[in-house]
Amino acid sequence: MNDSSRGASHGAGYAGAWPPPDQGPLPAGPAHDGHDARYTSETQPMPIVPGFPDAGRDAENRRGADREDRDRGAARLGGPLFRDETPQEPMPTPPPSGEPTPQPPPRPEPPQKKRAGRDLRAAIGVGVGLGAVIVVSLFFVKAVFVGVIAVAVVVGLWELTSRLEERKQIKAPLVPLAVGGAAMVVAGYARGAEGAWVAMALTALAVLVWRMTEPPEGYLRDVTAGIFAAFYVPFLATFVALMLAADDGPERVITFLLLTVVSDTGAYAVGWRFGRTKLAPRISPGKTREGLLGAVSFAMAAGALCVEFLFDGGTWWQGLLLGLAVAVSATLGDLGESMIKRDLGIKDMGTLLPGHGGIMDRLDSLLPTAPVVWLLLVLFVGSG
């Protein structure tokens, strides 16, 4: 009970000043908290003074109000007064001096949806455009398609030699490579395998001679890179011209292109959706074993259909073997160029094709697959 309540209660009983005159001053000391328990309204009933008939009733009402105030104070101290009040969490105890402040554990980030690494719209648009050029030139005028192969070879050589010089200071001579590469493709279409081998030998000789016009420092390094480039790009591309030279050449080239594209698509689709186990993380972190199984499955199914319906004398089981071989060679070709790009420290060989990178980024799986398809088709259905 507060002082005003006590003063009012005693004032009603004694009708005088506090403390009562007959009791004297209150004793002081630690046992007393500012009032005498003898005069507390809760321990002694308040006397009724004549002339004040309601004084006792008023004192009882005040005592009841005091109890309610104490009950509300206790409720306020013991817990929240309202239901929507929440007790405050205790402050963390600071660590001793000299010790690092403990950091709360990081919250786990919500899983993010997988996204494709390239612009799919641009990639699909460029792919459709290239496919239209290939189909039109392939089925209407074979010589035009030979020119398409030669242009792709020259651009691929330019991208490869440019990246070698930029990243490794290797100066593979581009002029003899470009001229000899285009000659290889034409010779393969016109003269067969012998013409391709002769053009390859002459291109290597031209690289050796051309490099002699510059200082001898780095000669062996540069000519070795030049001969490698001549074999890797134009010589392997010559096998596409060899397939085209057959009577059913368009069907052979379409089978070669279709199986390679289907293999890459199956690897991408299955690997993106179900890929968990890395195939070769140090070479290409994006490739998975599940993606390889997708490439094999898609390519084998497409191979069975192509060989069964496009070639006279071909059977579906031969198409299964052809599809399996294409999936393996396309994957190895992709890994091979990924190894080259990792050594050079680049992501793409060029930026000529939006959504795809450069020409060499599209030829990576096609180039090593061309001799495989050419050889198996010769074994299965003849040279044509």
Side-chain angles (χ1 to χ4, degrees), residues 118 155-164 166-167 228 232-233 336-353 356-364:
R118 299 184 184 273
V155 175
L157 286 169
W158 169 71
E159 289 180 347
L160 179 59
T161 56
S162 298
R163 302 294 88 77
L164 288 174
E166 290 174 1
R167 309 298 298 186
F228 163 76
Y232 181 47
V233 183
E337 193 185 355
S338 296
M339 180 73 82
I340 295 174
K341 290 189 289 188
R342 279 196 168 274
D343 186 26
L344 297 177
I346 58 177
K347 180 181 178 182
D348 295 323
M349 283 290 187
T351 58
L352 187 62
L353 304 177
H356 293 270
I359 288 290
M360 284 300 299
D361 297 299
R362 294 300 89 199
L363 296 180
D364 54 359

Side-chain angles (χ1 to χ4, degrees), residues 143 146 182-196 238 240-246:
V146 174
M184 256 186 267
V185 174
V186 175
Y189 177 73
R191 296 294 181 179
E194 291 123 354
T238 301
V240 183
L242 293 177
M243 286 187 276
L244 183 64

Side-chain angles (χ1 to χ4, degrees), residues 26-105:
L26 288 174
H32 299 274
D33 57 351
H35 68 277
D36 194 343
R38 293 176 297 172
Y39 303 102
T40 304
S41 60
E42 296 184 6
T43 59
Q44 281 191 341
M46 302 302 294
I48 305 298
V49 180
F52 295 93
D54 296 332
R57 186 164 50 252
D58 292 343
E60 293 296 333
N61 293 338
R62 291 189 186 95
R63 286 197 297 271
D66 292 340
R67 293 192 190 97
E68 292 179 1
D69 290 341
R70 285 196 301 273
D71 294 341
R72 282 196 295 268
R76 190 177 299 111
L77 294 174
L81 179 61
F82 300 100
R83 292 184 180 179
D84 59 350
E85 291 182 6
T86 56
Q88 298 293 329
E89 296 182 359
M91 296 297 291
T93 304
S97 58
E99 295 185 6
T101 303
Q103 299 295 331

